[in-house]
Amino acid sequence: NPLPPFPAGFLWGVSTSAHQIEGAVETRGRSVWDAFTDRPGRIRDGSTAAVACDHVRRYREDVALLAGLGVDAYRFSVSWPRADSPGGLGFYDRLVDELCAAGVRPVPTLFHWDLPVELDWRERDTASRFAAHAERVAARLGDRVPTWITLNEPAEHTLLGHALGVHAPGERLLFDALPVAHHQLLAHGLAVRALRAAGATEIGIANSHGPVRPASDALADREAADFYDVLLNRTFADPPLLGRYPEGIGELMPGNVAADLDVIAEPLDFYGVNFYAPARVGAPSDAPGDFGGVPLPAGLPFSVRETEGRPVTDSGWPVDPEALTELLTGFRARYGDRLPPIVITENGCAYDGLDDQDRITYLDGHLRALHEALTAGVDVRGYFVWSLLDNFEWAEGYAHRFGLVHVDFTTQRRTPKASYAWFREMLAAQR
Ligand code: FCB
């Protein structure tokens, strides 16, 4: 049953990030992720990203895989410590040239969690350092790159890295991590200005979002779900889109928040949404539940419940495509004319095996759900699969495979999976 046709000019792509695929750590400075990985017990399979997909050496082969897939665009990230190292920008220069020669539009993300180890998002100054990073990278690549993404998922970076400590830099600050969110959002706004000044014409952010469903109609459950929605969705979407924090959050942020919000609300050309799964949330209980598989501590004002009656992926995340339609129509209702065109900057799933029919089912379902949102009037302009390659899935190591292309991490051999062929055929049918 073929997918319904998407609008002409819809941007089809795949995503990766630097730390998860590049390897070649010896040719760049260290990031907080290198330091975190060195701490015993932090990565489930004891692995490191020192080699990962060896992409720095094999990028030509990887661009050939993109060309073979027939995508319009490739979202990758620029490693900040690599950009700061001698010859580091030269790598992205060659990558961009190779992409342009293959007819694939480069879409760089300027920060995907691999902060230089000497920096700290608790410091306000990191925001201006990030703007300088954006300026430097844009000065080097801007002649060929019109489309930019500032940050990847500041919510996850704040929550997992600084509140719960299961990602780098491994801090367990709980609600005291909120300034980390503010400084990233400020960094985003300053970078938008720097990119604009460098001539960029399409600028966005990649935020993770999912609808939050109350565990029941009871008031306590609805209030808990609303608080969770504020924390994970609205704290990161309201400032760039509406120029304000949700009620109760701004007071917890450091600095001159009102002045900072002017910067954070710089107009965007598109709004990137990373979508994986919805959440079901209720009043606090003895079992606080988990966040995408990460156990939550006791004492939070909510508890995360299981989404029942749904298959789960290898990472335990429920497969619920209608949640994507719900998310996008909800966004349109909430943000109205303040919402720029949406691009799905990540969507995908972890499944093992080369004959990955489950991934095909997942992607097919989510594309139909996305089409429903288009039909309902949501302006969505593009869709990027996470990910091109199996890669270093953060604290999970190499166990969770998200690629359309299988990577044998001993030989570095790439083998396109069934989902790669499926996506290629789907794209050909859309043309
Ligand atoms: C997202 C991250 C991405 C990848 C996917 C599975 O939260 O942005 O790097 O790990 O999840």
Side-chain angles (χ1 to χ4, degrees):
N1 206 3
L3 285 169
F6 281 72
F10 193 82
L11 196 70
W12 296 99
V14 291
S15 294
T16 63
S17 92
H19 189 76
Q20 295 177 274
I21 65 166
E22 282 186 355
V25 285
E26 66 288 349
T27 60
R28 61 156 172 79
R30 273 167 72 79
S31 81
V32 294
W33 265 97
D34 301 312
F36 182 74
T37 301
D38 283 351
R39 287 154 67 175
R42 292 317 178 98
I43 310 301
R44 195 188 288 265
D45 60 4
S47 62
T48 79
V51 178
C53 306
D54 199 28
H55 171 74
V56 165
R57 287 183 197 87
R58 294 168 197 264
Y59 72 93
R60 284 195 184 84
E61 185 182 349
D62 294 337
V63 173
L65 285 164
L66 290 164
L69 191 55
V71 286
D72 304 306
Y74 173 50
R75 174 178 173 237
F76 60 98
S77 81
V78 174
S79 150
W80 187 346
R82 186 177 300 287
D84 280 355
S85 301
L89 282 176
F91 166 66
Y92 299 106
D93 225 10
R94 293 190 292 281
L95 174 62
V96 163
D97 280 344
E98 191 77 11
L99 288 165
C100 292
V104 177
R105 186 200 300 195
V107 181
T109 301
L110 285 161
F111 178 68
H112 199 125
W113 302 353
D114 45 357
L115 191 73
V117 75
E118 63 279 6
L119 298 182
D120 187 333
W121 282 117
R122 282 178 298 181
E123 310 286 340
R124 183 182 172 85
D125 184 48
T126 303
S128 20
R129 302 282 287 261
F130 180 68
H133 162 63
E135 195 180 327
R136 233 173 13 252
V137 179
R140 183 70 178 256
L141 307 179
D143 56 336
R144 288 148 291 157
V145 176
T147 311
W148 296 86
I149 293 171
T150 55
L151 305 180
N152 179 72
E153 298 189 355
E156 266 64 23
H157 190 57
T158 304
L159 180 75
L160 299 173
H162 297 78
L164 300 176
V166 296
H167 277 191
E171 284 151 12
R172 299 200 171 122
L173 303 171
L174 295 177
F175 286 100
D176 291 337
L178 279 169
V180 165
H182 184 68
H183 293 150
Q184 286 179 89
L185 289 168
L186 179 61
H188 157 77
L190 292 170
V192 173
R193 289 185 175 171
L195 291 167
R196 202 68 83 196
T201 52
E202 288 179 40
I203 306 173
I205 186 171
N207 265 330
S208 56
H209 291 297
V212 182
R213 298 159 176 166
S216 83
D217 269 347
L219 182 63
D221 283 339
R222 282 188 284 120
E223 282 178 350
D226 189 61
F227 181 72
Y228 186 92
D229 186 42
V230 162
L231 213 53
L232 272 310
N233 290 317
R234 281 147 61 184
T235 293
F236 296 87
D238 287 10
L241 296 177
L242 304 176
R244 60 168 190 258
Y245 276 111
E247 217 183 295
I249 298 294
E251 296 84 309
L252 304 172
M253 296 305 194
N256 185 344
V257 176
D260 291 348
L261 281 165
D262 279 347
V263 179
I264 295 171
E266 276 299 318
L268 297 176
D269 306 293
F270 65 94
Y271 187 84
V273 170
N274 294 357
F275 174 77
Y276 290 93
R280 196 165 155 261
V281 175
S285 78
D286 294 343
D290 64 281
F291 177 83
V294 176
L296 292 168
L300 295 172
F302 53 77
S303 61
V304 177
R305 315 289 173 81
E306 217 171 293
T307 298
E308 283 151 5
R310 293 280 170 178
V312 294
T313 69
D314 285 357
S315 41
W317 303 349
V319 179
D320 189 342
E322 299 83 60
L324 178 58
T325 317
E326 182 184 332
L327 172 75
L328 295 174
T329 52
F331 246 73
R332 169 78 201 153
R334 177 166 173 79
Y335 296 106
D337 293 340
R338 306 293 293 270
L339 186 64
I342 288 179
V343 173
I344 304 300
T345 35
E346 286 181 25
N347 177 237
C349 48
Y351 288 114
D352 247 353
L354 288 173
D355 187 23
D356 53 345
Q357 298 302 320
D358 286 338
R359 184 171 348 266
I360 294 173
T361 304
Y362 181 101
L363 296 175
D364 179 88
H366 284 77
L367 285 170
R368 285 174 202 278
L370 181 57
H371 197 274
E372 293 260 311
L374 282 168
T375 306
V378 187
D379 186 4
V380 185
R381 303 280 178 94
Y383 174 89
F384 289 67
V385 175
W386 182 272
S387 179
L388 174 66
L389 303 168
D390 292 340
N391 60 54
F392 180 75
E393 176 54 18
W394 309 113
E396 302 298 331
Y398 295 97
H400 293 167
R401 292 178 175 270
F402 279 87
L404 299 176
V405 175
H406 177 272
V407 177
D408 177 327
F409 292 104
T410 314
T411 62
Q412 288 299 337
R413 202 186 141 136
R414 275 90 163 123
T415 310
K417 303 179 189 177
S419 58
Y420 177 97
W422 174 83
F423 199 62
R424 186 186 58 209
E425 297 313 311
M426 188 280 294
L427 290 178
Q430 289 286 333
R431 308 284 182 210

